[in-house]
């Protein structure tokens, strides 16, 4: 288990990579229109499976919503 | 090919109306309104995934029909706006971004200093940047100078429906801007959109005025007609304003009793 800040909320998660974290959150690797950043840097979709997570990392998981 | 093409960054756009996708009473009303307004672009926000609204698959619904323009709405720092743009590019596969950098949460007024900085950096990163900005010719020039593909000056405060508060300033921006001008924010009804186009704007962005109208679909159609009418009037060239009356009917042959 590592402690992460996920979308602004601290949480303990058993995930070693971005891909594992997304899977635990119910987001599949082929989920459309989802984007992820770790510590202010975008992690490209192709790299989700390999991108490592470290204790204290700040992860942003976003998608488009209605807007003006 | 249209005889009056509207081009941003080398891309010919299908109309001169941008619309938002927020604040509609329902998804179906939004889709019907967009079918009626025929926008060249539909704006969307980028938000954390836990904040799920009704728009569960909004991009699936809109993406095939309309060009999606993601925004950085709500960002108050250049750093967050830049990251939001990068996330939008990853999520939507577009390098176009409507750059919003807010300096006052109550007024939603742009923070010009940070806006120019963020625009400069995003252009360097390969983005096509359309900044929401003040109706200030100098600010607009600075944004064009750093490579923005268009400028989006505000007519009045976002969502206020107060129309174009300073038409003379918008006209100055239009006359001097080296890039297309898209009037953004403040449109309340169709005549505001007509005025924007008559003043020389290349396009108009509308969200609340359509979404919150009593009949959004009817207002959407009105906005489409307004943009077309205003553009035609601009191209036709209005008569100069005069201080005195000038009779329309002939002065000769008038009876006198």
């Amino acid at each position: 288990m590592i402690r992460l800040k996920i979308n602004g909320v601290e949480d303990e998660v058993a995930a070693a990579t971005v891909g594992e974290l997304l899977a635990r959150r119910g987001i599949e690797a082929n989920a459309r229109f989802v984007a992820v950043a770790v510590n202010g840097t975008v992690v490209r979709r192709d790299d989700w499976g390999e991108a490592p997570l470290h204790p204290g990392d700040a992860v942003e998981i976003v998608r488009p919503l209605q807007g003006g | 090919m249209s005889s009056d093409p509207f081009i941003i960054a080398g891309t010919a756009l299908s109309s001169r109306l941008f619309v938002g996708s927020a604040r509609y009473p329902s998804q179906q009303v939004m889709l019907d309104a967009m079918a009626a307004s025929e926008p060249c672009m539909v704006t969307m926000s980028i938000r954390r995934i836990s904040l799920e609204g009704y728009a569960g698959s909004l991009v699936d619904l809109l993406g095939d029909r309309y060009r999606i323009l993601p925004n950085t709405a709500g960002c108050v720092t250049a750093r967050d706006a830049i990251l939001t743009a990068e996330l939008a590019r990853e999520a939507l596969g577009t390098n176009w971004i409507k750059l919003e950098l807010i300096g006052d949460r109550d007024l939603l007024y742009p923070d010009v200093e940070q806006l120019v900085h963020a625009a400069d950096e995003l252009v360097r990163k390969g983005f096509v940047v359309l900044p929401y900005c003040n109706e200030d010719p100098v600010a607009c020039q600075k944004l064009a100078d750093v490579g923005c593909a268009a400028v989006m000056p505000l007519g009045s405060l976002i969502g206020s429906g107060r129309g174009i508060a300073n038409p003379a300033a918008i006209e100055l921006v239009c006359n001097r801007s080296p890039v297309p001008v898209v009037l953004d924010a403040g449109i309340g009804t169709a005549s505001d959109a007509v005025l924007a186009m008559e003043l020389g704007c290349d396009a108009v962005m509308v969200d609340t005025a359509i979404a919150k109208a009593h009949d959004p679909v009817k207002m959407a159609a009105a906005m489409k007609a307004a943009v077309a009418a205003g553009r035609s009037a601009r191209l036709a060239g209005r008569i100069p304003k005069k201080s005195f009356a000038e009779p329309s009917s002939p002065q000769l042959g008038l009876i006198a009793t």
Side-chain angles (χ1 to χ4, degrees):
Chain A
M1 298 284 277
I2 55 170
R3 191 155 191 85
L4 303 170
K5 196 171 206 179
I6 305 162
N7 283 355
V9 179
E10 295 217 3
D11 204 355
E12 297 258 354
V13 187
T17 65
V18 169
E20 286 176 24
L21 171 64
L22 293 174
R24 292 202 171 273
R25 291 292 168 122
I27 300 164
E28 295 174 14
N30 62 355
R32 299 178 74 196
F33 313 122
V34 174
V36 178
V38 177
N39 298 332
T41 302
V42 172
V43 178
R44 301 295 306 271
R45 173 181 296 267
D46 291 346
D47 300 330
W48 284 355
E50 306 292 320
L53 290 173
H54 305 287
D57 279 353
V59 184
E60 297 284 349
I61 309 167
V62 302
R63 65 172 185 170
L65 278 183
Q66 59 268 43
Chain B
M1 186 69 190
S2 163
S3 61
D4 179 28
F6 171 42
I7 296 170
I8 293 180
T11 300
L13 300 172
S14 60
S15 79
R16 292 173 178 272
L17 180 60
F18 292 49
V19 301
S21 56
R23 311 192 75 183
Y24 282 88
S26 74
Q27 194 162 279
Q28 190 57 51
V29 170
M30 180 190 73
L31 292 173
D32 292 346
M34 287 178 186
S37 63
E38 296 185 7
C40 65
M41 294 261 188
V42 174
T43 58
M44 295 188 75
S45 64
I46 300 295
R47 290 291 179 267
R48 285 171 167 170
I49 210 157
S50 56
L51 303 175
E52 294 192 22
Y54 72 81
S57 54
L58 200 52
V59 187
D60 285 316
L61 280 173
L62 299 177
D64 292 339
R65 282 182 245 185
Y66 305 105
R67 183 182 283 268
I68 303 293
L69 178 63
N71 68 32
T72 65
C75 289
V76 297
T77 66
R79 180 188 162 129
D80 280 354
I82 290 165
L83 178 56
T84 299
E86 291 176 325
L87 287 164
R89 179 166 62 180
E90 172 72 6
L92 286 163
T94 176
N95 63 341
W96 289 50
I97 190 74
K98 182 186 173 205
L99 179 63
E100 298 186 33
L101 253 161
I102 299 306
D104 183 309
R105 287 189 193 276
D106 293 324
L107 304 178
L108 300 179
Y109 224 77
D111 181 329
V112 172
E113 184 185 6
Q114 294 212 65
L115 188 63
V116 174
H117 167 63
D120 185 25
E121 191 155 337
L122 286 169
V123 169
R124 289 174 200 276
K125 288 172 179 276
F127 283 87
V128 174
V129 182
L130 290 72
Y132 158 67
C133 58
N134 297 26
E135 81 285 44
D136 168 352
V138 175
C140 289
Q141 182 65 54
K142 286 185 177 183
L143 290 162
D145 287 346
V146 299
C148 289
V151 289
M152 301 185 73
L154 57 89
S156 52
L157 302 183
I158 289 175
S160 70
R162 297 176 72 94
I164 298 176
N166 193 343
I170 292 293
E171 192 166 30
L172 275 176
V173 167
C174 292
N175 288 344
R176 301 175 73 86
S177 178
V179 294
V181 177
V182 183
L183 194 285
D184 186 8
I187 296 285
T189 188
S191 55
D192 298 330
V194 175
L195 177 60
M197 298 304 290
E198 288 175 345
L199 291 171
C201 293
D202 296 280
V204 172
M205 158 88 211
V206 184
D207 188 2
T208 308
I210 296 174
K212 290 294 187 187
H214 176 66
D215 183 339
V217 180
K218 191 162 268 189
M219 185 58 87
M223 288 298 177
K224 180 190 169 191
V227 168
R231 178 64 181 171
S232 291
R234 172 70 182 187
L235 294 176
R238 63 155 297 141
I239 60 165
K241 292 179 181 174
K242 295 167 191 151
S243 301
F244 296 98
E246 193 172 273
S248 306
S249 303
Q251 297 307 289
L252 290 172
L254 199 64
I255 65 160
T257 57

